[in-house]
Amino acid sequence: MRIEFRRQEKIARCLDPSIGFAESQVRTEIRWDPLTGESALVGHFVGFKLEPVDFTRQIEESRPNCPFCPERVLDHTPKFPTDLVPGGRVERGETVVFPNLSPYGEHSAVAVMCREHFIAPSGFTPSMLSDAFLACIDYFDHITHRPGTDFAIVSWNYMPAAGSSQVHPHLQAYASDVPGSLLAAELAASRRYCEAEGRPYWTDLIEEEERRGERLVARGRYTAWLTAFVSLSPLSDIMVIFPEARTMKELSKEALEEFSRGLCQCLGHLGSLGIYSFSLGWFPARKEGDNHFRLHVRLSPRLYVAPRVWCTDTPTFSYLYREPFMFRTPEELARGLRSVIRLC
Ligand SMILES: [Zn+2]
């Protein structure tokens, strides 16, 4: 069971009106994820260009009543019962963590990351990001001795195209015994791989990507950065693997600082490409066990494919058939990122 990057080319033929109805061919590709076996399409989406979106009006109109702005956050957001979190909230740097009024489950919190109402992708600082993630880890420290908290997950919906109803930057911190379908599939496949090969899939993946040189972006002391062979975003996903950690709790201060530094550089690059929204998720092992698994982060750029008509990036094929569609290849995204990620 070695790591296989399986792909199959498909060629579509048509009589193209732009060349006098002469026959033209368009190449597409199907890929299969080397871990889970899930498939995705790569196509060129003829003529696609990332169109800018002006969020000035949404940013300004949401500011006066924003519950996350510093003049309101302590009065307008709930507190934890003190048996869950002494003091009712977790604070670290500019980050404030409080219960989610629309919880995902029993243990569901929101972490307002900063005092600024809006920060562009290139405007985050490493300390702002590491404080926000550390505040979520602080919250988990209060609750994960309780039952039903096997998986401690942090996610980030940045701006509306990623499903965020608030402009103000915030994270979701969530602990549950049900980790979600993708993480469950990764855990099961990772266990099978390790049983067959005697080594974790994740460290083999880093080695194989390093050998191929197509999608590996950078390696630091604590992190490995690559783009995902099978991505969920039309613009491809970035993955960051922590070869020495299984959960966020196991991260050293230095590891989180290295990650936050790289994430700032990465977000700056995405911003320079015109990307204005993203989904970010931490994928951990169970709080105990799962020695075959390694903590990783997936960062998935989100967009309106045609903003003039609010065309989202989730057409029926990806939404109902669960077949993601990439317009740009992970290899192309990796080439651009290699010049900007400097971890040491
Ligand atoms: Zn605000």
Side-chain angles (χ1 to χ4, degrees):
M1 185 193 270
R2 62 189 176 80
I3 292 179
E4 184 187 8
F5 295 100
R6 188 177 158 217
R7 59 218 291 181
Q8 190 178 91
E9 191 175 77
K10 303 279 186 182
I11 295 175
R13 299 161 56 232
C14 73
L15 304 181
D16 185 343
S18 71
I19 49 174
F21 291 98
E23 182 169 316
S24 74
Q25 296 188 341
V26 180
R27 292 174 191 280
T28 64
E29 188 180 297
I30 306 173
R31 293 180 172 202
W32 286 267
D33 186 274
L35 179 62
T36 64
E38 290 183 8
S39 58
L41 303 176
V42 181
H44 300 292
F45 211 80
V46 176
F48 173 75
K49 286 195 181 73
L50 185 61
E51 291 184 37
V53 180
D54 184 359
F55 289 104
T56 306
R57 186 177 64 80
Q58 288 87 343
I59 293 166
E60 291 312 315
E61 288 183 357
S62 60
R63 191 189 304 269
N65 295 311
C66 173
F68 298 168
C69 271
E71 59 271 30
R72 278 176 295 276
V73 66
L74 296 180
D75 295 328
H76 286 61
T77 63
K79 292 183 182 180
F80 295 103
T82 52
D83 62 310
L84 288 178
V85 176
R89 293 193 182 95
V90 173
E91 296 188 44
R92 182 186 275 270
E94 295 187 15
T95 301
V96 184
V97 185
F98 48 84
N100 193 335
L101 276 174
S102 304
Y104 294 175
E106 188 177 1
H107 299 289
S108 180
V110 173
V112 170
M113 301 172 70
C114 52
R115 297 170 67 82
E116 280 289 316
H117 180 64
F118 171 73
I119 296 180
S122 58
F124 291 93
T125 65
S127 63
M128 189 187 286
L129 294 172
S130 61
D131 278 349
F133 295 128
L134 279 168
C136 294
I137 296 168
D138 292 343
Y139 163 64
F140 292 140
D141 283 344
H142 288 295
I143 54 144
T144 48
H145 63 285
R146 294 173 180 272
T149 58
D150 298 38
F151 298 97
I153 288 168
V154 174
S155 65
W156 186 357
N157 309 319
Y158 175 80
M159 295 297 282
S164 179
S165 58
Q166 299 285 345
V167 164
H168 201 123
H170 63 286
L171 306 172
Q172 311 280 345
Y174 170 67
S176 172
D177 49 356
V178 180
S181 298
L182 179 55
L183 179 49
E186 285 189 357
L187 282 159
S190 171
R191 178 183 298 280
R192 284 196 300 274
Y193 184 93
C194 197
E195 284 170 357
E197 299 292 326
R199 299 179 306 277
Y201 165 81
W202 305 94
T203 42
D204 277 7
L205 175 67
I206 296 167
E207 269 183 33
E208 182 63 18
E209 290 286 25
E210 194 157 41
R211 192 180 68 76
R212 289 171 178 254
E214 294 173 301
R215 287 168 296 275
L216 190 82
V217 172
R219 283 198 74 168
R221 166 71 184 82
Y222 305 97
T223 56
W225 296 66
L226 52 134
T227 55
F229 179 70
V230 167
S231 293
L232 304 176
S233 168
L235 305 178
S236 296
D237 298 345
I238 296 115
M239 283 182 71
V240 188
I241 301 170
F242 295 84
E244 295 171 6
R246 294 169 306 164
T247 65
M248 291 180 79
K249 189 180 174 61
E250 291 178 0
L251 288 179
S252 64
K253 183 169 168 284
E254 292 75 20
L256 198 53
E257 283 173 357
E258 180 179 293
F259 170 71
S260 300
R261 195 161 56 248
L263 183 56
C264 274
Q265 295 162 352
C266 186
L267 294 181
H269 179 69
L270 296 183
S272 74
L273 297 177
I275 291 166
Y276 45 79
S277 191
F278 56 82
S279 302
L280 181 149
W282 288 79
F283 287 68
R286 282 176 188 80
K287 61 186 177 186
E288 286 156 13
D290 292 333
N291 287 329
H292 57 86
F293 202 74
R294 292 297 180 269
L295 177 68
H296 55 281
V297 169
R298 188 181 279 259
L299 170 58
S300 193
R302 303 295 303 275
L303 69 153
Y304 298 103
V305 174
R308 284 160 297 170
V309 292
W310 300 117
C311 171
T312 72
D313 60 4
T314 43
T316 304
F317 215 43
S318 55
Y319 184 68
L320 289 185
Y321 293 87
R322 296 189 188 177
E323 187 76 342
F325 194 100
M326 292 170 260
F327 307 158
R328 291 184 184 165
T329 65
E331 294 74 28
E332 183 185 344
L333 181 61
R335 281 194 292 275
L337 279 167
R338 257 178 228 129
S339 59
V340 298
I341 304 283
R342 295 282 177 269
L343 300 172
C344 303

